[in-house]
Amino acid sequence: SGHGNREVFTFSFWVKRAKLGTVQLVLYIRSGPGNVGRVMFDASDRLDVESEISGSAVAKKVTSAKFRDCSAWQHFVIKFDAVNTNCDIYHNGVELTDFDTNTEPTNVDHYFGGDFQHYIGGFADSSTVDGYLAEVHYIDGSALDESSFGQFDSNSVWQPKQYSGTYGTNGFHLDFSDNTSTTTIAEDSSGNNNDFTPY
């Protein structure tokens, strides 16, 4: 019902991919053509975090790494802080430092966290995630690293842990745990009641 923090956010999700080589939107925000924010796997299986205003990229980070393991769950954290012109990406507890494109966010109002439609897993029946998503967190107004959402076990395997912080105005937590009906599966468990409509 109103804008949250449009400069600072954290997006955390677990994914098990089932198909490679296609554009797959994990998070997509749109105010109109050329005014978008997105977190996606591109057709080369790289993770792409991008913000566009009037068709121009005011943030674009494309990993050099390609994520092609369809046999295991993978965890990603996007730590976005436009106030300090910085965006960090973590994969399974390790910060990624090699990027094919590395445009840090401009200190402006982006579309992430704004009073715009936010989509999870695709947009308008296109660019859908072919696979599984779990433990999707959007933290509005806080730039957090991977340690808020996971930890290494005694075998040095990255494991999820319960997030204990707050979510901010437009934050949400989708744990997909209530399968009572097709409408309850996308309820927000953060306490903000920012429920999604499943398609």
Side-chain angles (χ1 to χ4, degrees), residues 157-177:
V157 177
W158 186 249
Q159 302 286 355
K161 74 176 186 182
Q162 184 173 353
Y163 173 67
S164 59
T166 58
Y167 285 86
T169 302
N170 286 336
F172 54 84
H173 174 207
L174 302 181
D175 61 11
F176 310 107
S177 64

Side-chain angles (χ1 to χ4, degrees), residues 5 13 28 30 44 59 72-73 79 82 84 107 128 133 135-136 139-140 155-156 161 183 199:
N5 190 315
F13 65 96
Y28 186 64
R30 185 175 187 268
S44 297
W73 284 93
K79 178 184 176 183
N84 294 298
N107 186 9
T128 54
L133 290 171
E135 285 300 314
V136 176
I139 316 300
D140 179 7
N155 294 315
S156 298
K161 74 176 186 182
T183 56
Y199 288 91

Side-chain angles (χ1 to χ4, degrees), residues 8-10 78-81 86 139-145 148:
V8 179
F9 71 89
T10 305
I78 315 303
K79 178 184 176 183
F80 193 97
D81 184 357
N86 182 67
I139 316 300
D140 179 7
S142 296
L144 307 174
D145 63 23
S148 294

Side-chain angles (χ1 to χ4, degrees), residues 74-132:
Q74 302 179 70
H75 181 228
F76 293 88
V77 175
I78 315 303
K79 178 184 176 183
F80 193 97
D81 184 357
V83 174
N84 294 298
T85 60
N86 182 67
C87 175
D88 296 329
I89 302 174
Y90 302 86
H91 173 247
N92 290 347
V94 177
E95 183 177 353
L96 301 177
T97 56
D98 293 328
F99 297 94
D100 289 344
T101 302
N102 191 11
T103 304
E104 298 287 2
T106 306
N107 186 9
V108 296
D109 281 340
H110 298 258
Y111 289 91
F112 296 103
D115 185 16
F116 313 107
Q117 292 253 344
H118 285 49
Y119 299 85
I120 299 292
F123 172 70
D125 295 328
S126 65
S127 303
T128 54
V129 172
D130 194 331
Y132 302 90

Side-chain angles (χ1 to χ4, degrees), residues 9-52:
F9 71 89
T10 305
F11 183 57
S12 170
F13 65 96
W14 287 80
V15 61
K16 186 175 183 182
R17 306 194 68 196
K19 183 178 181 180
L20 305 177
T22 62
V23 173
Q24 299 181 25
L25 292 166
V26 182
L27 172 65
Y28 186 64
I29 302 99
R30 185 175 187 268
S31 175
N35 294 317
V36 299
R38 56 185 159 237
V39 176
M40 70 181 189
F41 294 102
D42 68 11
S44 297
D45 302 309
R46 303 171 300 181
L47 191 74
D48 183 342
V49 179
E50 187 168 0
S51 176
E52 288 185 6

